[in-house]
Amino acid sequence: MQAKPSEYEVPFFKETGFSRRVGEKCREYYWTLNPDFVEPQDVPCVDYWFDSVKSRSGLNVSEARRVFIDFFLKRGHEYVPPRPVVARWREDLYLTIASIVVFQPHVTNGIVPPPANPLVISQPSIRLEDIDNVGLTIGRHLTSFEMAAHHAFNYPDKYIYWKDETVRYAYEFFTKELGIPGELIVFKEAWWEGGGNAGPCFEVAVGGLELATLVFMSYKTLNGGYEEIPLRIVDTGYGVERIAWFSQKTPTAFHAIYGDLVDKFRDSIGLEKPERTLLWAAFKAAGKLDPDEPGSVEDYYRRVSELSGVSFEDARRILVDEARLYGLLDHTKTLALMLADGIVPSNSGEGYLARLVARRALRLLTLLKSNAKLVDLVDMQVKYWSGDFPQISENRGYVLEAVDIEESRFKETMERARRALERELKRGSSLTVNDLVKYYDSMGAPPELVAEIASKAGVRVEVPPKFYSIVASMHRSPPRIKGYGEAEGTITFVAEWASKFKPTRKLYYEDPYIRSFESRILGVNGRYVILEATAFYPTGGGQIHDVGVLIVGGREYRVVDVFNVDDVIIHVLETPLISEPGEVVRGLIDWARRFRIMRHHTATHVILGAARRVLGPHVWQAGAEKTEFKGRLDITHHKPLTMEEVAKIEALANSIVDDRRPVRNMLIDRNEAETKYGLTLFQGGVPMSRVIRVLDIEGWDTEACGGTHVTNTGEIGGIKIVNVERIQDGVVRIEYVAGSRAAEVASELEGRLARIADLIGASRGREEDRVKSLMESFKALGDTVKAYRELLIESLEEKLRGAPEVGGVKLLVTGSPEKSREAVQEMLRKLTSSEERAIVAVIMREAEGSTVEIAGGAKASELHNIGALARLLAGRFEGKGGGSKSYGSFKTPRKLEPGELAEALEELLGSGP
RNA sequence: GGGCCGGUAGCUCAGCUGGAAGAGCGCCGCCCUCGCACGGCGGAGGUCCCGGGUUCGAAUCCCGGCCGGUCCA
């Protein structure tokens, strides 16, 4: 959509003398004070030329951030601290990609007020879409950057400020704080869309560099159209790194962002420092560079070569390596940020994104042919950013360990791929693009490395420029065919029906120990019942629903399911309720069951607290389930738990049980709760409401939780971890039982042991000895059987010596006491290898018919095809069979006697195939 | 969450158009040697991931599951 021109006319422009123009080449509208401009001043319309703009100089990233925040603090904005780069409060995003993400969707959809209004924030953000272009474009693309922003949320009944003020702030900030001449600042008209919202925006650029975007979020996208929204939001984004780059006027953004770290990385990697003139040529040429445009990259190197006087080949070689260096600087910082916020690298979910960044960094190191350790480079970032992002140095131990693990895993993966490749090349095959895709897609080997290894073996293969889009196109999943059945229709129908009722009063929150209650019926719909108030807990928040009975007019109805539709609780009965709204019901919940669920639920919070303390703060709940039988908690962790760690967690959890800590359930304003307890509140998802229920185990664990809990940890009664396993890369599952259930589980185990003891005939406490002696006699028995088999073979060998000759071979047909095919086969193998001219057939009688195995010695097999023989015999005895040249078998429904088989064989061998 | 690849000796892997489980390295013993290394000879070591199916017969084919790897969202 293109907004109406009037959307961009603000009084400030008129007052100050800005005029609206259109770019001669770019054909985009922009506002400027400068009559000499013929284009909006950002790349690629113009080249970078801000190096010659006079302004406040020398601001590093920290200072740029400080200047921005102070500017807005002085102008009535309140500071809001940044959130993690992992967007755990969002269901639809893994990473924080912009400052507005902090307020989506709860604030932007109007449910929760913003923590301050207007506000100023500097939000570290991560975007991985252009990860391959980072470095190449000398600073236009970064995977991690800080978005400094001021936001104003305009409600219908509360207006803060809108376009004019926002533009004035931008102009004032750039002219007064950064000292940029006003006539060099350009406001370009544009349209912004994202996350279901849209609106007009200004892109503010100076000397080729876009420094800020001012978005006026005023629509929501709806079926391809736009609809005005009541909450209009000023969503700005100032690039902190770009301000630093602009202010320092270094040839690349990386020099401005990373300062002395650039040369430290250079030293570690062993990369020579390029001539300053080459970098400045790159600065001048990079504006036109569009990596998605074919040929653009080559043009860029050509232009750098012309501007610097360095040969094309040298310019390309140096800039390719420079881009890798800058990529490493960028990726290692991003990785440190992600890991510090508790991402555990894995092969799925957000963990994969961390692995992706780590692998890209490792690939760059490999391409640079450097022996530097990634973990050392990340450690430099930890130190460099410790003042700006304290969470990184606080979690240094975990960050470095996770990087180290990723590094060795990558090496193993590369080693595996290399071996597979060398094997394949040894077989003389050539490599196609398909093979490159295979090695990348299923073995993780980057195509450049595959090509390099192949070329050493003398096999040439070209990496196509569109390689990664070929891979991406293979992963477009086919449309899901979603089955819709009667069940789904029923749920929709019930939900619609339920929406007519007012929210149910939740007695289980007022008193978690309530077992029985009386209430009035509000609605009846067959087996579905809605009450005014209930003590039945509906399924939700990882806690299973209650069961019990409703008593109406002297009749008892069993409650088999309970669920929640927008705060209306629906009881599902076993049989339809014969009653009218208004009648009084008495409800009884199955208390023994509920109490166990409560114990397991509170135990879950205790264990999570213990796991975070034993394993580290990167541990997050990845899932949980609590039933009357056991509790189950999945946590994020980068390696399997050791026995010691499990024991520690269990002991620590039980110490909290014994400590009898109070457990409090409270309703708190969401913003207040976040400020007080932090985002670790949201372990089990984020409730979408202004006020949230918070469960606090004193001094131990605080989480947003809608479940029912005991009021003191002592009531858990004790916790026994019964199972720990790694359910996938990066996720560990812990299962446990609490209280009386632990005794039950112990009894079950005892019972099982007793039954086993019975089976093996051991007295209590002597089970192990008994198993040992049984194993010994089992072994001895095996030896005995072996001896008897040898005896059997000997006697058959004896028989074979005296066997008649038919068709040039010695024929032996015999029955067998052996029931095992394998044993018979082994026996035949021995017999025929000692007598090459023998054919031996063994009949195994079974309940329904017989199986016959026939083997031929080396000479005999030359004379007669045993497999063919078996097939013929099978035909004769109404069975089926076949085999190879030297071995065959068949099955027949007849109870075969050695005599008749011998007769048949003699006949066949006599005429013989 | 989806796609792809894989699971066979202690390790790395062949065998996979169904028909008597293999190689290299490692290990053990012997020969050679003052000793080591090299070399030579011999040997031990297997639930062919699990379960079901097809078949006279399955490491091999089919279905289901488990585990590992990898790419993508």
Side-chain angles (χ1 to χ4, degrees):
Chain A
M1 166 163 173
Q2 189 57 50
K4 285 175 288 199
S6 63
E7 292 250 38
Y8 299 98
E9 282 170 20
V10 294
F12 168 78
F13 286 153
K14 260 188 195 155
E15 263 171 46
T16 322
F18 273 80
S19 57
R20 184 170 191 252
R21 310 165 71 102
V22 64
E24 283 184 3
K25 277 181 289 183
C26 288
R27 307 311 301 170
E28 286 174 306
Y29 291 96
Y30 61 100
W31 293 82
T32 177
L33 290 169
N34 197 323
D36 297 333
F37 284 162
V38 291
E39 299 290 344
Q41 295 296 305
D42 61 349
V43 294
C45 292
V46 298
D47 289 332
Y48 290 125
W49 59 275
F50 65 84
D51 55 316
S52 60
V53 174
K54 274 199 147 183
S55 71
R56 180 165 175 184
S57 65
L59 295 178
N60 63 24
V61 168
S62 305
E63 290 156 352
R65 182 194 310 120
R66 189 73 259 155
V67 164
F68 179 87
I69 291 169
D70 285 346
F71 177 84
F72 284 95
L73 281 178
K74 271 182 243 154
R75 284 158 184 81
H77 292 68
E78 200 175 314
Y79 176 69
V80 171
R83 284 211 177 182
V85 294
V86 191
R88 297 185 200 276
W89 61 94
R90 291 283 295 265
E91 307 283 342
D92 53 338
L93 273 184
Y94 288 129
L95 298 172
T96 307
I97 56 170
S99 64
I100 192 68
V101 166
V102 169
F103 309 103
Q104 285 171 322
H106 50 292
V107 176
T108 53
N109 67 16
I111 289 176
V112 178
N117 196 9
L119 60 85
V120 58
I121 186 172
S122 184
Q123 176 62 46
S125 306
I126 294 180
R127 294 185 190 177
L128 301 178
E129 296 89 66
D130 292 317
I131 189 164
D132 286 318
N133 296 334
V134 174
L136 175 62
T137 55
I138 68 164
R140 204 186 326 155
H141 300 98
L142 303 172
T143 59
S144 57
F145 57 96
E146 265 182 83
M147 189 182 268
H150 59 104
H151 294 286
F153 301 86
N154 296 297
Y155 294 86
D157 56 345
K158 190 180 175 195
Y159 176 81
I160 308 295
Y161 61 76
W162 194 229
K163 294 176 189 170
D164 191 53
E165 295 87 333
T166 303
V167 173
R168 279 175 204 270
Y169 282 137
Y171 186 79
E172 192 187 355
F173 174 72
F174 287 127
T175 53
K176 291 212 179 127
E177 287 298 327
L178 293 189
I180 300 170
E183 66 273 15
L184 297 186
I185 302 171
V186 159
F187 292 84
K188 190 176 89 183
E189 296 180 2
W191 183 257
W192 175 90
E193 271 191 52
N197 292 110
C201 71
F202 285 115
E203 289 169 6
V204 189
V206 181
L209 189 63
E210 184 187 331
L211 291 170
T213 307
L214 315 173
V215 176
F216 305 102
M217 214 192 265
S218 30
Y219 302 95
K220 72 175 171 192
T221 49
L222 202 73
N223 312 324
Y226 299 94
E227 189 178 287
E228 280 197 40
I229 49 174
L231 174 57
R232 292 177 304 156
I233 300 165
V234 173
D235 172 22
T236 64
Y238 288 66
V240 173
E241 289 82 0
R242 289 190 175 186
I243 293 171
W245 188 15
F246 186 93
S247 163
Q248 291 185 44
K249 307 199 191 328
T250 48
T252 79
F254 300 96
H255 289 84
I257 300 167
Y258 296 100
D260 62 340
L261 215 48
V262 177
D263 284 334
K264 284 190 184 157
F265 266 52
R266 211 183 275 288
D267 290 346
S268 303
I269 292 162
L271 186 65
E272 256 182 70
K273 218 167 169 169
E275 292 293 325
R276 213 66 185 164
T277 50
L278 183 83
L279 291 184
W280 278 111
F283 176 87
K284 284 291 172 193
K288 293 276 187 298
L289 175 59
D290 180 357
D292 297 328
E293 197 69 36
S296 172
V297 179
E298 294 299 302
D299 290 345
Y300 162 65
Y301 295 140
R302 202 165 297 124
R303 213 165 147 227
V304 172
S305 162
E306 283 162 18
L307 288 168
S308 63
V310 175
S311 76
F312 175 82
E313 287 306 325
D314 284 351
R316 179 166 66 183
R317 181 178 49 78
I318 293 168
L319 287 178
V320 163
D321 278 349
E322 283 295 296
R324 289 169 180 160
L325 168 68
Y326 304 151
L328 266 172
L329 281 159
D330 170 272
H331 297 359
T332 46
K333 178 191 176 190
T334 300
L335 195 54
L337 278 169
M338 290 172 97
L339 295 172
D341 279 342
I343 289 191
V344 175
S346 76
N347 54 12
S348 69
E350 71 227 21
Y352 176 69
L353 299 180
R355 177 160 294 165
L356 175 84
V357 175
R359 295 221 161 165
R360 287 301 158 105
L362 288 160
R363 184 178 123 212
L364 291 175
L365 269 181
T366 315
L367 291 172
L368 282 164
K369 307 205 185 321
S370 167
N371 292 321
K373 301 264 290 170
L374 186 65
V375 66
D376 295 332
L377 299 180
V378 173
D379 200 16
M380 288 186 211
Q381 297 279 12
V382 172
K383 289 196 190 83
Y384 188 80
W385 294 105
S386 60
D388 301 77
F389 309 114
Q391 71 270 26
I392 299 183
S393 42
E394 279 160 20
N395 290 290
R396 178 169 174 264
Y398 166 70
V399 170
L400 298 186
E401 193 182 351
V403 171
D404 202 40
I405 291 174
E406 284 307 298
E407 194 162 14
S408 48
R409 287 182 67 135
F410 178 75
K411 282 193 180 129
E412 277 167 34
T413 294
M414 287 311 106
E415 191 51 31
R416 237 194 317 271
R418 196 182 55 77
R419 278 197 306 262
L421 181 63
E422 279 170 359
R423 255 199 323 275
E424 199 162 317
L425 291 171
K426 217 177 275 174
R427 263 177 283 181
S429 33
S430 58
L431 283 181
T432 63
V433 172
N434 260 344
D435 293 320
L436 287 180
V437 171
K438 184 186 85 187
Y439 277 100
Y440 178 66
D441 207 32
S442 63
M443 293 182 189
E448 303 91 341
L449 297 185
V450 174
E452 196 184 311
I453 295 166
S455 77
K456 273 183 199 154
V459 177
R460 291 205 45 183
V461 60
E462 280 294 312
V463 181
K466 289 195 304 180
F467 179 80
Y468 290 99
S469 48
I470 295 171
V471 173
S473 68
M474 290 174 56
H475 289 279
R476 243 168 250 140
S477 49
R480 278 249 212 100
I481 300 148
K482 207 176 172 187
Y484 55 94
E486 195 249 349
E488 208 165 302
T490 311
I491 299 296
T492 319
F493 164 71
V494 172
E496 212 165 281
W497 169 68
S499 67
K500 293 176 189 130
F501 296 89
K502 63 171 186 162
T504 312
R505 191 172 145 205
K506 300 172 185 69
L507 300 172
Y508 51 83
Y509 279 153
E510 292 167 24
D511 173 12
Y513 294 96
I514 190 168
R515 309 178 186 196
S516 66
F517 64 99
E518 282 190 359
S519 178
R520 267 178 348 109
I521 296 175
L522 290 186
V524 180
N525 197 327
R527 292 164 56 217
Y528 301 98
V529 181
I530 294 169
L531 304 177
E532 205 168 54
T534 189
F536 281 91
Y537 183 86
T539 299
Q543 181 176 327
I544 194 162
H545 63 84
D546 286 326
V547 298
V549 293
L550 288 183
I551 304 167
V552 190
R555 280 189 63 173
E556 242 184 59
Y557 297 87
R558 285 180 55 187
V559 177
V560 294
D561 193 8
V562 187
F563 61 94
N564 189 337
V565 178
D566 284 334
D567 267 358
V568 177
I569 293 168
I570 297 158
H571 305 76
V572 183
L573 307 183
E574 200 177 30
T575 55
L577 180 70
I578 308 159
S579 179
E580 293 295 312
E583 262 192 84
V584 172
V585 299
R586 190 171 152 67
L588 297 169
I589 68 169
D590 180 344
W591 173 251
R593 177 173 175 279
R594 155 68 94 72
F595 188 52
R596 288 189 170 188
I597 295 170
M598 280 164 67
R599 282 175 144 174
H600 284 140
H601 199 159
T602 311
T604 303
H605 290 230
V606 172
I607 289 201
L608 181 61
R612 286 177 69 91
R613 281 167 179 81
V614 172
L615 305 172
H618 60 276
V619 166
W620 280 73
Q621 176 175 318
E625 189 183 86
K626 309 101 191 178
T627 68
E628 59 185 306
F629 305 108
K630 68 180 179 198
R632 190 178 85 193
L633 174 68
D634 297 340
I635 56 169
T636 59
H637 189 55
H638 51 294
K639 48 186 184 182
L641 299 193
T642 62
M643 300 266 279
E644 290 74 32
E645 283 166 337
V646 174
K648 255 188 180 169
I649 290 170
E650 188 179 275
L652 196 54
N654 278 311
S655 78
I656 295 305
V657 173
D658 291 344
D659 207 27
R660 303 196 69 252
R661 300 214 183 186
V663 178
R664 286 188 202 90
N665 207 320
M666 50 208 172
L667 290 168
I668 312 184
D669 179 85
R670 178 166 158 160
N671 286 324
E672 192 192 323
E674 276 179 28
T675 313
K676 198 166 164 194
Y677 300 111
L679 286 167
T680 52
L681 269 178
F682 303 124
Q683 295 283 344
V686 186
M688 198 51 65
S689 58
R690 181 179 181 148
V691 173
I692 59 175
R693 186 166 290 276
V694 169
L695 188 93
D696 179 56
I697 299 174
E698 197 176 87
W700 189 249
D701 177 83
T702 313
E703 293 175 41
C705 182
T708 58
H709 287 271
V710 298
T711 52
N712 186 295
T713 55
E715 281 188 61
I716 295 169
I719 297 171
K720 177 75 195 103
I721 294 176
V722 292
N723 185 33
V724 176
E725 59 185 326
R726 227 165 72 105
I727 57 165
Q728 65 164 78
D729 203 7
V731 181
V732 175
R733 172 165 294 174
I734 305 174
E735 293 181 304
Y736 40 89
V737 289
S740 46
R741 178 65 190 148
E744 258 180 34
V745 169
S747 298
E748 276 166 26
L749 283 174
E750 235 172 29
R752 209 150 84 199
L753 187 59
R755 283 193 297 280
I756 291 171
D758 245 24
L759 284 173
I760 61 175
S763 52
R764 290 292 292 273
R766 310 281 305 177
E767 295 88 354
E768 286 161 55
D769 291 342
R770 181 68 184 146
V771 168
K772 267 184 212 153
S773 76
L774 277 176
M775 288 305 292
E776 271 161 32
S777 48
F778 179 73
K779 231 180 169 175
L781 207 57
D783 291 343
T784 309
V785 169
K786 211 169 154 190
Y788 272 101
R789 278 178 183 165
E790 269 158 28
L791 217 59
L792 179 63
I793 290 169
E794 270 170 38
S795 82
L796 287 174
E797 270 169 349
E798 186 70 40
K799 264 194 184 173
L800 188 58
R801 269 192 285 275
E805 290 222 12
V806 189
V809 299
K810 284 190 149 194
L811 179 66
L812 175 64
V813 179
T814 177
S816 164
E818 277 287 355
K819 289 281 171 265
S820 141
R821 280 182 67 107
E822 272 129 52
V824 168
Q825 275 178 20
E826 199 182 318
M827 193 170 81
L828 288 175
R829 195 181 311 148
K830 280 197 177 142
L831 281 171
T832 53
S833 60
S834 67
E835 175 54 87
E836 294 187 327
R837 287 173 55 243
I839 288 180
V840 185
V842 173
I843 302 170
M844 287 182 288
R845 295 278 292 265
E846 282 147 17
E848 292 162 23
S850 324
T851 300
V852 179
E853 305 281 324
I854 312 166
K859 291 248 169 66
S861 302
E862 276 166 31
L863 287 169
H864 304 278
N865 184 321
I866 310 295
L869 214 54
R871 194 168 310 116
L872 287 171
L873 285 167
R876 181 163 299 197
F877 297 110
E878 298 108 39
K880 283 176 171 175
S884 69
K885 210 175 77 179
S886 62
Y887 194 88
S889 64
F890 70 92
K891 198 179 246 177
T892 163
R894 300 221 333 234
K895 303 252 179 199
L896 220 49
E897 294 295 337
E900 52 179 330
L901 179 59
E903 219 168 277
L905 262 168
E906 275 164 29
E907 192 185 312
L908 284 169
L909 290 173
S911 61

